[in-house]
Amino acid sequence: MNDGMNENALRAFTVLEEDLKILSQSNGHPTAILREQESQVIAVLGDLRILHPFDDPVLEINFHKHLYPSFRSLLIYYQEKHLVCLALPHENLCLLKRHYQAELQRIARFFDAYAFHYKYFSLKGQELDVLFFTENADLQNVLLPVVPAHEPAGSTVTSELFARFMAYERLRIDLLSLLYELDPKPSLSSTTVDRFGKLRKPFKWTGETINLIEVAHAIHLNKQINEGEIGIVEFFEGLGEFFGVNLGVPKKGFDNMKSRKRLSRTQFLDLMRDSVIKKMDDEDDWGSVRGLL
């Protein structure tokens, strides 16, 4: 969310975000709080527009693609959160879960409705920036999204859409956390709610622990997680928590693998490799048979 912000804009964003958070935790009436939050965001957006004149296409794109949606998303987030809270069925746990799941489904439908633009947002695309984030772009272009309640004077239509993407992603995290709190599980895999709000069964490693240790060491040594910027202890703890198993001390597990005498020191990795190759060979053989039929 902080992409494209200079030091002053980042400082203003941080201050505004903290002020809005403090307001949300105050004891006033929810509607009055929301109105005050709206007032603060609108004021900052007005100042932001004045401080960033569009005398350069690069600056204009940066404003509409990064600055405006980042600040605007704060307002949308609190507006949406206010609406979620208004409809809460407080006295029934089952209804409360359904309410959160329904909200997650609503967010998922929104992302699906703008699938092309959401992918452009997620992948940080640049090819269509002139069309999406400049005010003199061709407004009849079929690639431009249609966003209800968009205010043309405030930003481009895609800028408004990006703001909603940011806000809904943040709201989705909140909803998943609320669902988790209602039905906590012993492992990381208990956060089993997909983007459509559908509950899924948790993952559980049912094989021998040493097999998962082999896989863990292979993944970590080949730097497949976080571009290799993760400690082996942290990785072992996270992977073990996800699968509901204690992987122990990484060095001890590695020493146990090294000390094997009768079996291969990479027994499970060898087995996995052989299984994959066998499946490939079986499919190739079947393809040959079908070709003769």
Side-chain angles (χ1 to χ4, degrees):
M1 185 178 294
N2 295 332
D3 292 345
M5 286 196 190
N6 58 32
E7 185 176 340
N8 291 333
L10 182 58
R11 186 182 301 111
F13 179 85
T14 302
V15 171
L16 177 61
E17 188 173 34
E18 184 62 27
D19 288 344
L20 297 179
K21 182 178 179 181
I22 292 173
L23 272 172
S24 68
Q25 296 171 345
S26 61
N27 296 323
H29 190 279
T31 301
I33 292 174
L34 179 61
R35 286 173 179 167
E36 178 61 26
Q37 290 172 325
E38 291 175 343
S39 176
Q40 290 197 17
V41 175
I42 291 172
V44 173
L45 281 173
D47 294 339
L48 198 67
R49 182 65 183 260
I50 294 173
L51 293 172
H52 293 81
F54 301 151
D55 53 0
D56 184 326
V58 175
L59 295 178
E60 182 180 6
I61 289 173
N62 184 63
F63 176 86
H64 289 305
K65 187 176 184 179
H66 300 295
L67 293 179
Y68 178 91
S70 293
F71 285 83
R72 170 73 172 152
S73 70
L74 294 176
L75 176 56
I76 297 173
Y77 166 74
Y78 281 104
Q79 289 173 333
E80 291 291 331
K81 193 172 183 179
H82 176 70
L83 293 175
V84 170
C85 293
L86 279 179
L88 283 180
H90 294 284
E91 299 179 358
N92 189 304
L93 182 61
C94 182
L95 291 178
L96 191 57
K97 288 182 180 179
R98 290 181 183 177
H99 177 64
Y100 292 147
Q101 291 165 12
E103 290 298 322
L104 286 167
Q105 291 170 351
R106 180 176 65 87
I107 292 173
R109 288 193 298 269
F110 183 85
F111 289 153
D112 286 342
Y114 297 99
F116 173 77
H117 303 90
Y118 185 56
K119 179 173 287 189
Y120 192 86
F121 166 80
S122 301
L123 298 179
K124 302 183 185 299
Q126 299 179 351
E127 298 84 354
L128 299 173
D129 280 0
V130 173
L131 172 65
F132 286 162
F133 304 110
T134 58
E135 295 181 348
N136 293 325
D138 178 12
L139 299 181
Q140 302 303 315
N141 193 297
V142 295
L143 292 178
L144 286 175
V146 176
V147 180
H150 168 61
E151 301 174 2
S155 68
T156 69
V157 63
T158 314
S159 182
E160 176 70 18
L161 188 60
F162 270 37
R164 292 177 185 254
F165 288 155
M166 293 176 184
Y168 287 161
E169 283 191 339
R170 183 174 177 181
L171 182 62
R172 180 173 58 182
I173 292 174
D174 287 352
L175 292 168
L176 289 171
S177 299
L178 289 168
L179 272 173
Y180 173 72
E181 291 173 3
L182 291 177
D183 191 21
K185 302 288 193 308
S187 67
L188 183 64
S189 57
S190 61
T191 338
T192 52
V193 182
D194 64 19
R195 68 191 188 95
F196 296 103
K198 182 179 179 181
L199 296 176
R200 298 179 300 181
K201 293 182 179 179
F203 294 106
K204 176 67 177 177
W205 184 266
T206 55
E208 295 184 26
T209 302
I210 189 64
N211 293 340
L212 185 56
I213 290 174
E214 277 189 50
V215 175
H217 276 291
I219 292 174
H220 187 266
L221 287 170
N222 284 278
K223 300 182 178 180
Q224 299 298 296
I225 305 296
N226 293 355
E227 299 181 352
E229 300 297 326
I230 184 172
I232 190 168
V233 174
E234 180 184 357
F235 175 57
F236 264 57
E237 290 177 350
L239 186 66
E241 187 178 359
F242 181 81
F243 282 112
V245 60
N246 182 6
L247 296 182
V249 180
K251 179 64 166 60
K252 183 176 181 180
F254 193 78
D255 289 343
N256 289 338
M257 291 162 52
K258 286 173 53 181
S259 65
R260 289 171 176 167
K261 301 299 182 183
R262 293 181 300 162
L263 302 174
S264 167
R265 294 198 289 184
T266 55
Q267 178 188 4
F268 187 61
L269 294 174
D270 296 342
L271 178 63
M272 288 197 301
R273 175 181 179 277
D274 292 343
S275 298
V276 173
I277 291 177
K278 182 178 184 303
K279 180 174 177 59
M280 292 178 177
D281 291 342
D282 289 345
E283 289 192 359
D284 289 343
D285 291 342
W286 173 241
S288 300
V289 171
R290 290 183 64 185
L292 297 175
L293 296 179

